[in-house]
Amino acid sequence: MDQYDVVVIGGGPAGATAANDLAKAGRKVLLLERGGRIKPCGGAIPPQALKEFELPEDEVLVARARSARMIAPSGRAVDMPIPIGFVGLVDRKDFDEWLRNRAASHGAVRRQGNYLKITRDTDGSAIVHYRETVAATAAEGDVAGQDGLNPVDLPASSGTVERQVRARAVIGADGANSQVAKHCVPGADKMRYVFAYHEIVRTPEGGNTDRCDVYYQGRVSPDFYGWVFPHGDTMSIGVGSEIKGFPLRKATADLRRIAGLDSAELLRCEGAPLPLKPLAKWDNGRDVVLAGDAAGCVAPASGEGIYYALAGGRYAAEAVEAYLASGNAASLALARKRFMKAHGRVFWALGLLQRFWYTSDSRREKFVKLCADPDIQDLTWESYLHKRLVRKKPFAHVRVFFKDVAQLLGLSKA
């Protein structure tokens, strides 16, 4: 049985970043990605992510947004130009693969397959069971010499084979519906979700290529929002809602019509749950730690997940490295501790925003009006682009507070 220092389950931004960091540190890493699935995502990524995670913008970005447009239930639109810089846009189909290839270039072993379970060896070490996908020629029995696999081990009609590897540590980065989390981390089965769906369409001639449009309208989403984000030659059009049974496809079709994109060529569509809140615990106190969506690292209100997945993957890698170096399983808790210290206040503030402003069209109308305020725009872009709460402008915070109160009490004209 092959043995690895770390098995990373899930090859999205969190898993691929963790695998890359650990491989660069000299650890023997297996990166297990199930393949064939692309997460629905607007693809927004701040410049801070490019800098912090050494992402070459010319290679990973498909577009650069210079402004955002907020659209209220009444149709009123408020533009929020970005004063300095841009919001980068990626296509997850290509971006995630770029991250996985980078991890492999630094020594991580890539395998395509589905995680099944974790069992224990006689000495207590983790054994990761997974079903590996093999090439069509392998399904015909031509698999001799591939990692020592004998042709008789593979049913000719399946195209898969079950494998086992031993791991000193495991990182579960297998998405919001994480099986690693459910199998290993208490409380993970209580995760709340927003269900997201989007369609990638070809950008029509003369279409918007440098602005992110966000629709705060109950007919598009009763408790979240809809989006139209540019991806260069393509666009992402999607919606999200926590309400089970909400017709996401119909809402997306409505959004395409509202945005004047109902005749745009459909290239592909994807759907998936997005977590609403970081889990209270990210590790099993032994040898497993979570990262990315599996840990609940999607920002409330905005639904932003790429930057926080990258950050979560790095914190998980640091925690695992500390554990491997010391043998102290308490080190695994560092992943959540460091993430929440860096981003917990932002998640808390955005959670309050979502719970209040997204509950009715009358509140959405007021929220969009607030977005026109220069102080709010300034603080919003400072926080988003640099991934920190702005503390250097206390008087702007005071002004924003009183403007919020005026809206809540109806003292400001809509």
Side-chain angles (χ1 to χ4, degrees):
M1 190 186 304
D2 288 340
Q3 178 165 326
Y4 292 88
D5 292 320
V6 189
V7 173
V8 180
I9 300 169
T17 299
N20 182 66
D21 286 3
L22 287 163
K24 286 180 67 176
R27 296 298 180 179
K28 186 178 180 182
V29 180
L30 173 64
L31 176 59
L32 181 63
E33 164 63 20
R34 67 180 181 177
R37 177 183 174 276
I38 307 166
K39 180 183 175 182
C41 180
I45 182 170
Q48 179 64 24
L50 301 174
K51 175 183 177 181
E52 199 171 320
F53 300 99
E54 299 178 319
L55 305 173
E57 62 178 85
D58 290 340
E59 293 185 38
V60 301
L61 298 187
V62 294
R64 295 167 179 80
R66 305 291 178 178
S67 67
R69 174 169 290 177
M70 309 299 174
I71 298 98
S74 65
R76 173 183 180 176
V78 170
D79 286 341
M80 298 177 64
I82 301 172
I84 300 176
F86 58 87
V87 173
L89 281 304
V90 301
D91 188 320
R92 292 292 297 274
K93 173 176 65 68
D94 302 316
F95 179 66
D96 290 15
E97 182 64 9
W98 187 93
L99 292 172
R100 291 190 288 266
N101 283 334
R102 180 172 68 169
S105 73
H106 288 124
V109 176
R110 288 186 59 180
R111 292 287 182 269
Q112 183 174 325
N114 292 329
Y115 160 82
L116 298 174
K117 61 182 177 180
I118 293 175
T119 59
R120 296 288 166 181
D121 207 345
T122 53
D123 63 357
S125 59
I127 298 177
V128 178
H129 301 247
Y130 66 96
R131 183 176 293 111
E132 184 174 350
T133 304
V134 295
T137 54
E140 297 168 1
D142 184 20
V143 291
Q146 296 184 19
D147 300 325
L149 180 64
N150 188 291
V152 299
D153 294 333
L154 180 65
S157 61
S158 69
T160 63
V161 61
E162 290 194 15
R163 295 189 185 276
Q164 302 174 19
V165 294
R166 184 180 286 106
R168 295 176 62 193
V170 176
I171 294 177
D174 49 335
N177 194 28
S178 169
Q179 295 305 298
V180 177
K182 291 177 180 177
H183 292 170
C184 302
V185 179
D189 57 340
K190 303 298 192 298
M191 179 88 76
R192 291 175 54 208
Y193 308 106
V194 163
F195 296 91
Y197 170 82
H198 83 157
E199 296 178 353
I200 297 293
V201 304
R202 194 173 305 282
T203 303
E205 186 176 352
N208 165 48
T209 59
D210 63 357
R211 188 186 69 235
C212 294
D213 292 350
V214 185
Y215 288 78
Y216 295 102
Q217 300 179 346
R219 57 178 171 168
V220 171
S221 172
D223 57 341
F224 205 56
Y225 64 82
W227 69 86
V228 178
F229 284 6
H231 286 182
D233 294 336
T234 64
M235 308 181 84
S236 167
I237 308 171
V239 300
S241 176
E242 188 183 356
I243 300 174
K244 290 185 178 181
F246 180 74
L248 296 173
R249 288 178 181 268
K250 180 182 181 302
T252 302
D254 291 342
L255 178 55
R256 287 183 63 172
R257 185 174 60 255
I258 295 167
L261 295 167
D262 48 328
S263 61
E265 179 188 356
L266 175 63
L267 301 177
R268 70 175 198 265
C269 53
E270 293 114 22
L274 303 178
L276 282 174
K277 185 179 180 181
L279 291 173
K281 188 173 179 60
W282 291 6
D283 67 277
N284 68 345
R286 186 173 186 174
D287 53 9
V288 177
V289 65
L290 306 177
D293 284 13
C297 297
V298 173
S302 69
E304 182 189 1
I306 296 178
Y307 173 83
Y308 297 112
L310 295 167
R314 175 150 294 173
Y315 289 129
E318 291 172 352
V320 165
E321 178 61 34
Y323 162 64
L324 293 176
S326 68
N328 183 3
S331 299
L332 297 173
L334 291 173
R336 188 183 191 279
K337 181 178 180 180
R338 290 173 176 173
F339 183 95
M340 297 305 292
K341 181 178 180 180
H343 307 294
R345 292 183 64 191
V346 171
F347 274 49
W348 175 81
L350 290 175
L352 288 179
L353 185 155
Q354 179 177 336
R355 286 192 294 273
F356 182 82
W357 291 112
Y358 290 11
T359 55
S360 69
D361 271 355
S362 61
R363 289 185 177 181
R364 294 184 190 98
E365 194 73 36
K366 293 178 180 179
F367 174 71
V368 171
K369 182 185 177 183
L370 282 172
C371 291
D373 184 88
D375 288 328
I376 290 176
Q377 292 193 15
D378 188 27
L379 294 179
T380 296
W381 289 127
E382 282 278 346
S383 298
Y384 175 80
L385 296 175
H386 303 294
K387 284 292 163 272
R388 64 178 185 271
L389 287 176
V390 181
R391 300 180 181 179
K392 63 182 180 180
K393 300 178 180 178
F395 291 109
H397 283 284
V398 171
R399 290 194 298 270
V400 167
F401 171 77
F402 283 110
K403 291 168 186 175
D404 278 342
V405 171
Q407 287 285 359
L408 293 174
L409 298 179
L411 301 178
S412 177
K413 294 182 180 179

